[in-house]
Amino acid sequence: MENGKLKYFPHYYEEIGSLDNPENTALDVGAAGIPELKRAAEIFKTAAQTRLTDEANGEANLMQYGFTMGDYKFLSNLADFLTSEYGEHVDSDNLLATSGASQGIATLGSLLLQSGDFVFLEDATFFSAIDIFKDDLGMKLVSVPRDEEGIDIRVLDEMLTEYRPKSTHQITEKRPFWTIVYVIPCFHNPTGCCYSEERCRQLIKLARKHDVLILSDDVYTLLSYHEQTMSKCQTQGNDSLTCTPRFPRRLFAYDDVNDSDFKGSVASVGSFSKVFAPGVRLGWYELPRRVHTLVKDSGICQSACGFNNITSGIMATALDLGLVKDNLNSLRDIYKRRMKSILKTLEEEMPTNVKFTRPKGGYHLWIVLPEDCSSEQLLKECREMYNVSFQLGPIFSPDGRLGNCLRLSIAFYKEDVIIAAVKRLSQAVKSFLLYPNNKDIIAPEQ
């Protein structure tokens, strides 16, 4: 409330109380900060004025029930944009608009599987995916360990072999997969790591062997900090140009339609939440033909007549004007500097027996405390004495493990605020490791 009046559009992090204490630096917030959102708002305003003026002067088709797959111009422009950014051809016929990645996950899960079916997830993984599959859709979760290259292929192979006879799923034309394997191969949430090329190839081979669908969450794939050499890439209007794949290569590209054993085993969900602004609630599927047809012809798509039609139309104009590309390049530079600073601070300040990942893109990094330490107890002390907070490791585990782990995010605050917060966090960890039973806690330095 401000001056007795409800604020215009309070946001999610206010709703859940993450920002209640203005003295606290909430490194658990996994969203863009105010300067980045203001830039996005200006872009959206420009694109909206352009597109809606055209609609008002024309037949206002954007205000009508939409195209089932999404605004046609949006899909065409999105395909060109992704082709340029991925460095590999993206076919607009494989794309379908969504209302964001989480809606995409939930819709695909509900269409292809049934309550009681198995879903395989990495340990750790995106916490909302755990909630969607387990609580919303009633799936049985199977946790698969990770290593430095991605999901453990040997263990996954053994688990798929073990659980297939236990599955009660009835294969039908509309439900052709007995399970889904949900992964985040590029700038993984929560660790920030990427799958190796070999692991991606192994995963495709395994999916074909067991005839399962890999659901690849690609919301961070475009946020690579790597310096890219610009290459001419094939677009919807020019099939003669060549492409040079960029790092990291999305998993969908490894499922090559030219392979003799190709089935169409990877579905990808992308989103503008991380590369533009979460409030637009707009994303996309990139789907193999057999899955694309099932989604497009589903009752929810046919009834909705396309998800988020007006927003996709406005974003089509933003893409056409080159505004999204410019904004993405700006975000990459900003996040790269922040990640570099946070890693440097951790290297200088954190005890040597505390390990952390070194991401080359995305929003997040992962800290692993000694095994006998509780991140939950550490968080309590950090909030009470050090004015810093983070995400607890167990919420990322399908089995509630990883109690000695925590996630930090670099997207919400400016660089100087992040550095100061990580220094306080490092102080807290040093004190916590010295006094694990919470006695004689060292007060933070002033």
Side-chain angles (χ1 to χ4, degrees):
M1 301 286 287
E2 291 184 355
N3 299 323
K5 296 181 179 180
L6 184 66
K7 282 182 65 177
Y8 184 64
F9 233 31
H11 58 68
Y12 170 73
Y13 293 104
E14 293 176 332
E15 179 183 359
I16 65 175
S18 294
L19 305 175
D20 282 353
N21 179 5
E23 301 299 319
N24 182 71
T25 303
L27 296 180
D28 49 318
V29 174
I34 293 174
E36 292 72 44
L37 295 180
K38 284 187 173 181
R39 178 184 172 99
E42 287 296 328
I43 291 171
F44 199 77
K45 181 175 73 172
T46 298
Q49 289 174 337
T50 301
R51 181 63 186 263
L52 296 180
T53 297
D54 290 345
E55 294 296 325
N57 293 333
E59 297 182 356
N61 287 337
L62 190 63
M63 314 305 290
Q64 183 57 274
Y65 285 112
F67 193 56
T68 306
M69 293 168 55
D71 179 75
Y72 180 79
K73 185 64 173 175
F74 168 68
L75 297 176
S76 177
N77 288 355
L78 176 63
D80 287 348
F81 170 73
L82 294 176
T83 294
S84 174
E85 295 302 326
Y86 289 154
E88 297 184 273
H89 177 62
V90 175
D91 191 337
S92 63
D93 288 341
N94 291 334
L95 301 177
L96 196 151
T98 70
S99 296
S102 294
Q103 181 261 330
I105 293 168
T107 298
L108 202 63
S110 65
L111 290 176
L112 298 182
L113 298 182
Q114 297 168 301
S115 178
D117 285 346
F118 295 114
V119 173
F120 294 77
L121 304 94
E122 302 166 280
D123 193 10
T125 193
F126 176 38
F127 55 81
S128 289
I130 297 174
D131 296 339
I132 289 168
F133 286 123
K134 182 180 179 180
D135 299 332
D136 299 347
L137 301 181
M139 309 299 183
K140 297 177 181 177
L141 305 187
V142 183
S143 177
V144 185
R146 301 179 80 258
D147 59 27
E148 63 277 3
E149 293 188 62
I151 196 167
D152 191 314
I153 290 294
R154 181 188 61 80
V155 174
L156 178 59
D157 190 11
E158 292 174 353
M159 286 182 164
L160 290 172
T161 301
E162 175 188 351
Y163 280 88
R164 180 64 183 97
K166 300 177 183 179
S167 173
T168 59
H169 181 92
Q170 297 296 313
I171 299 293
T172 66
E173 184 178 351
K174 290 189 175 182
R175 298 181 187 270
F177 304 98
W178 68 272
T179 190
I180 285 174
V181 180
Y182 171 78
V183 296
I184 312 171
C186 301
F187 310 123
H188 174 263
N189 181 12
T191 68
C193 299
C194 291
Y195 280 31
S196 68
E197 290 187 11
E198 180 60 24
R199 188 59 52 88
C200 289
R201 293 189 181 94
Q202 291 172 339
L203 187 55
I204 298 301
K205 184 177 180 180
L206 195 65
R208 293 172 180 176
K209 172 185 174 181
H210 292 278
D211 202 16
V212 302
L213 183 70
I214 307 297
L215 178 53
S216 176
D217 191 331
D218 285 298
V219 300
Y220 299 100
T221 302
L222 294 170
L223 284 175
S224 173
Y225 305 153
H226 277 251
E227 294 294 334
Q228 305 289 3
T229 56
M230 297 302 294
S231 60
K232 293 182 178 180
C233 297
Q234 181 180 355
T235 65
Q236 299 300 301
N238 191 336
D239 294 336
S240 64
L241 301 179
T242 59
C243 301
T244 303
R246 296 180 172 187
F247 175 86
R249 197 179 185 206
R250 73 200 194 285
L251 187 65
F252 190 90
Y254 289 89
D255 195 20
D256 192 340
V257 68
N258 296 311
D259 291 346
S260 60
D261 59 345
F262 174 80
K263 295 181 178 180
S265 304
V266 178
S268 168
V269 288
S271 174
F272 285 102
S273 292
K274 308 303 181 185
V275 300
F276 186 70
V280 297
R281 306 315 306 144
L282 182 65
W284 64 88
Y285 288 120
E286 186 176 13
L287 302 172
R289 180 53 46 195
R290 62 172 173 167
V291 179
H292 190 281
T293 300
L294 292 173
V295 176
K296 180 176 70 70
D297 293 344
S298 67
I300 187 169
C301 269
Q302 292 293 325
S303 177
C305 299
F307 298 109
N308 213 341
N309 193 51
I310 292 179
T311 301
S312 64
I314 293 170
M315 287 301 290
T317 300
L319 288 164
D320 206 24
L321 296 173
L323 301 175
V324 177
K325 187 179 186 69
D326 290 344
N327 186 66
L328 175 58
N329 288 332
S330 175
L331 291 177
R332 285 172 177 150
D333 289 341
I334 291 168
Y335 296 152
K336 180 179 181 178
R337 289 196 300 270
R338 292 179 188 174
M339 186 66 77
K340 183 178 180 180
S341 294
I342 198 173
L343 291 175
K344 183 176 184 293
T345 306
L346 286 169
E347 288 166 356
E348 294 172 348
E349 303 288 340
M350 197 63 77
T352 56
N353 60 340
V354 174
K355 308 303 179 184
F356 51 90
T357 57
R358 291 168 172 79
K360 297 177 181 179
Y363 271 20
H364 312 297
L365 64 86
W366 189 240
I367 294 180
V368 181
L369 304 170
E371 288 189 6
D372 58 347
C373 292
S374 166
S375 61
E376 183 175 5
Q377 185 58 44
L378 174 63
L379 178 60
K380 180 180 178 182
E381 294 175 13
C382 282
R383 282 175 170 163
E384 291 177 354
M385 300 180 63
Y386 294 87
N387 285 327
V388 63
S389 58
F390 49 79
Q391 282 285 13
L392 295 171
I395 71 168
F396 300 99
S397 172
D399 299 322
R401 292 194 285 257
L402 308 175
N404 64 317
C405 301
L406 58 103
R407 188 197 77 179
L408 304 183
S409 299
I410 53 90
F412 191 73
Y413 294 99
K414 292 183 177 180
E415 196 172 331
D416 59 335
V417 178
I418 293 173
I419 292 171
V422 172
K423 287 182 177 180
R424 298 197 303 274
L425 172 63
S426 298
Q427 281 186 264
V429 171
K430 290 174 184 176
S431 175
F432 187 75
L433 295 181
L434 281 173
Y435 304 102
N437 296 319
N438 307 319
K439 295 178 181 179
D440 302 317
I441 295 295
I442 300 174
E445 296 178 5
Q446 301 299 318

